[in-house]
Amino acid sequence: MDDQFAFRDELPSITSQPVWRVLAVDDDADFQRATAFALSEFELLGGRIELIQAFSCREASMLLAKHHDIALVLLDVVMETEDAGLRLIKALREVIGNRETRVVMLTGEPGLAPAHEVMRDYDINDYWTKSELSAERLHTVLTAAVRGYAQLRAVATARRGLQMIVESSNALFCSKSPRELSTKILSEITSLLDLQTEGIACVRADEGSATAEPNARIVSASGRFFDCIDANLDALQPQVAAAVRQCLQAQQTLRLSDCTVLFFQRFQAGSDYACYIDSARALDDTQLELLKVFSASISRGLYNVALFSRLEEMAYQDDLLKIPNRNALIRMLDMTLKSEAKDQRVLVLIDIDNFSGANTAFGTGYGDFILGLVAKKLRDAFTHEVLIARVRDDLFAILGPQAQVKAAEVVALFRRHKRPYELGQVHSLSSVTMHLADFTGSASVALQDALLTLKQAKRLGHDQRGVYDPLL
């Protein structure tokens, strides 16, 4: 990561004023009015005070359970009962589980709750008698309490964020495709930053697009961007697309005025990626640091996906023709034989007659051209429901619905008017058809039986059409 993940302020970042919530719990209406007056125009640590008032411990309990971002509680000891305030502290810490909110205990009768014992036995942060608490001192007490709250919140947020990152790492590393990984990235960032799922998109730059205007495709998106998945970058709103292009072109994570765009370089991720995060509210320093740490996990996940994709390609793709190979055929055939759709599926093998002779006469370059021609015509002729694979040499397989895959029509793809074939020196194709409804064995055995049927058919000459018969 290092320099590649340094956050760069291209435009002034959002500086929305923080709001510090203070809960005053007291059944004395006069004291509540005096507190409200003292805090009415008080600014604290660059933010304003939002005062919430409760006139009973029961009311305060409900407010504390509802609002988890109260920075400070000004709490009278004596409310409904002589120890109501002390019981509220225990509920806040032990029942609600809030350890960050600061508590300042206030009393008009010090003898009912001696300061030494209260400070020793309860998790409170300060203790004052009401007669000592002037407006100036109240401001001092609030400043110290809110500063402590802000620091504790930052530590708690960082701890939760790091724990979340650790827990999410396994999910990221188990991903096997860019789509699967990017979907998980969106979910994890949403949780990490406590964002709405309306404004996140993950895009991958096209290979070789390190140009002034990078091209990219949207791999995954949420909310208002969801319909843009698989489209190019122009499908996004102009300002969003511009921010992503700026990130890809600068090869650096950007923190703009209304968004953050994470950058993942191809050296670490296999391809250049950018993740757009709509951050209409300002991200604090802790969240930005968590994003940097999370970026490292994302990079490793993207690298693993790139490595897995490459291994998958090597294992299941034909190097010459860039179509599925024998391994891919066996895998799909095995899935088909185990599915309910088996009875509606058919396997057709086609073999170019006298291909070895043409290869010898005209060279391997000509032979590769012929194989490419066959592969292209087959790919163009069928939908994604049909698997086209090269089994070996000049032997191809077509696996799909029997309504679409018919040997006679496959061979007809290569015929031209008044000419038997469009394959140069290769004059004919032989084929065999296996209706999977007639077969009960494994995928490997099915392919072997189909190959044996094709071999038997070719003994009769060129341009043969065989059909697998389980009784033979």
Side-chain angles (χ1 to χ4, degrees):
M1 278 181 37
D2 299 331
D3 294 338
Q4 294 297 336
F5 291 99
F7 282 76
R8 181 171 126 196
D9 291 324
E10 290 294 322
L11 296 172
S13 58
I14 300 172
T15 56
S16 56
Q17 188 183 45
V19 176
W20 307 111
R21 283 184 168 175
V22 174
L23 174 62
V25 186
D26 201 310
D27 56 2
D28 185 341
D30 291 336
F31 184 81
Q32 288 278 31
R33 280 194 295 271
T35 302
F37 179 77
L39 301 182
S40 60
E41 298 182 0
F42 182 51
E43 290 194 1
L44 179 60
L45 301 179
R48 63 181 179 84
I49 296 292
E50 178 184 317
L51 181 63
I52 305 173
Q53 295 178 317
F55 292 85
S56 69
C57 283
R58 181 176 180 277
E59 183 184 358
S61 296
M62 296 173 62
L63 289 169
L64 287 168
K66 179 180 179 182
H67 300 289
H68 300 286
D69 59 348
I70 293 176
L72 170 64
V73 178
L74 296 172
L75 177 62
D76 188 11
V77 176
V78 181
M79 299 285 288
E80 297 96 319
T81 62
E82 291 184 353
D83 65 343
L86 298 178
R87 288 190 287 107
L88 179 63
I89 295 172
K90 279 191 171 292
L92 173 67
R93 303 304 192 200
E94 297 175 10
V95 179
I96 298 175
N98 185 329
R99 297 289 177 180
E100 291 90 42
T101 295
R102 305 292 81 197
V103 177
V104 174
M105 184 71 74
L106 304 176
T107 182
E109 303 176 57
L112 292 177
H116 174 72
E117 295 178 10
V118 170
M119 294 293 290
R120 180 193 65 197
D121 298 336
Y122 294 87
D123 184 8
I124 66 173
N125 308 103
D126 213 342
Y127 190 112
W128 292 90
T129 62
K130 293 181 180 179
S131 60
E132 297 175 308
L133 202 61
S134 63
E136 183 177 352
R137 181 162 288 172
L138 177 60
H139 291 173
T140 302
V141 169
L142 257 65
T143 300
V146 169
R147 180 177 285 115
Y149 168 78
Q151 292 171 347
L152 287 174
R153 280 289 293 231
V155 171
T157 299
R159 185 186 296 116
R160 287 193 296 268
L162 291 173
Q163 181 179 354
M164 191 179 301
I165 290 170
V166 170
E167 292 173 353
S168 70
S169 293
N170 289 335
L172 296 180
F173 294 160
C174 291
S175 302
K176 295 182 179 179
S177 70
R179 170 68 63 78
E180 180 184 355
L181 176 63
S182 58
T183 300
K184 290 177 181 177
I185 289 172
L186 302 191
S187 174
E188 297 299 336
I189 288 179
T190 298
S191 300
L192 183 66
L193 302 181
D194 192 23
L195 293 172
Q196 298 297 318
T197 57
E198 284 299 307
I200 308 179
C202 187
V203 304
R204 180 175 60 187
D206 294 339
E207 292 296 329
S209 65
T211 62
E213 290 291 336
N215 294 317
R217 185 159 294 276
I218 301 161
V219 186
S220 187
S222 65
R224 58 194 172 98
F225 299 142
F226 183 79
D227 292 337
C228 301
I229 294 176
D230 286 334
N232 62 33
L233 206 51
D234 292 330
L236 298 173
Q237 296 170 346
Q239 67 272 22
V240 176
V244 173
R245 284 199 174 93
Q246 184 179 355
C247 170
L248 293 173
Q249 185 177 349
Q251 302 272 290
Q252 190 173 23
T253 291
L254 303 179
R255 183 188 178 190
L256 306 178
S257 63
D258 58 351
C259 67
T260 298
V261 191
L262 301 178
F263 174 71
F264 308 97
Q265 61 175 336
R266 67 183 61 202
F267 172 73
Q268 294 170 311
S271 296
D272 284 346
Y273 284 82
C275 186
Y276 176 92
I277 304 171
D278 187 351
S279 50
R281 63 170 174 80
L283 302 182
D284 60 35
D285 292 340
T286 301
Q287 291 175 321
L288 291 175
E289 288 300 322
L290 288 173
L291 265 184
K292 292 179 184 180
V293 175
F294 189 49
S295 293
S297 292
I298 294 174
S299 290
R300 288 193 291 272
L302 289 169
Y303 178 81
N304 286 347
V305 164
L307 180 60
F308 181 86
S309 298
R310 179 56 185 152
L311 293 174
E312 178 92 356
E313 183 180 292
M314 292 171 64
Y316 296 103
Q317 187 179 87
D318 183 79
D319 285 340
L320 174 64
L321 304 180
K322 306 304 179 187
I323 63 173
N325 60 13
R326 184 182 186 278
N327 293 336
L329 172 65
I330 291 294
R331 181 172 65 174
M332 182 57 69
L333 189 55
D334 181 62
M335 293 172 58
T336 303
L337 289 170
K338 293 176 182 178
S339 73
E340 296 180 356
K342 165 192 168 184
D343 292 349
Q344 304 299 321
R345 295 294 187 267
V346 64
L347 171 66
V348 171
L349 300 182
I350 62 169
D351 180 85
I352 304 173
D353 294 327
N354 198 34
F355 179 77
S356 59
N359 222 15
T360 301
F362 297 99
T364 56
Y366 177 79
D368 291 347
F369 166 75
I370 296 301
L371 294 175
L373 175 67
V374 173
K376 184 178 185 307
K377 280 188 172 290
L378 292 176
R379 281 200 309 264
D380 292 344
F382 295 103
T383 67
H384 67 278
E385 292 184 88
V386 177
L387 174 72
I388 308 297
R390 183 189 182 195
V391 181
R392 69 184 183 208
D393 302 327
D394 59 322
L395 179 65
F396 291 83
I398 304 101
L399 174 64
Q402 59 187 9
Q404 295 185 43
V405 182
K406 299 177 182 178
E409 294 179 0
V410 171
V411 173
L413 293 172
F414 304 94
R415 296 186 183 277
R416 292 188 63 182
H417 183 60
K418 295 184 179 179
R419 292 179 58 182
Y421 291 93
E422 194 187 46
L423 294 178
Q425 298 299 314
V426 180
H427 296 293
S428 63
L429 295 173
S430 292
S431 68
V432 64
T433 299
M434 171 183 278
H435 296 278
L436 299 185
D438 300 332
F439 187 80
T440 57
S442 67
S444 296
V445 174
L447 182 57
Q448 291 174 6
D449 287 356
L451 286 170
L452 180 60
T453 303
L454 179 62
K455 184 177 181 180
Q456 293 171 343
K458 286 178 69 70
R459 288 175 181 170
L460 302 176
H462 293 170
D463 201 17
Q464 298 298 310
R465 306 285 174 268
V467 177
Y468 168 75
D469 187 344
L471 301 179
L472 295 180

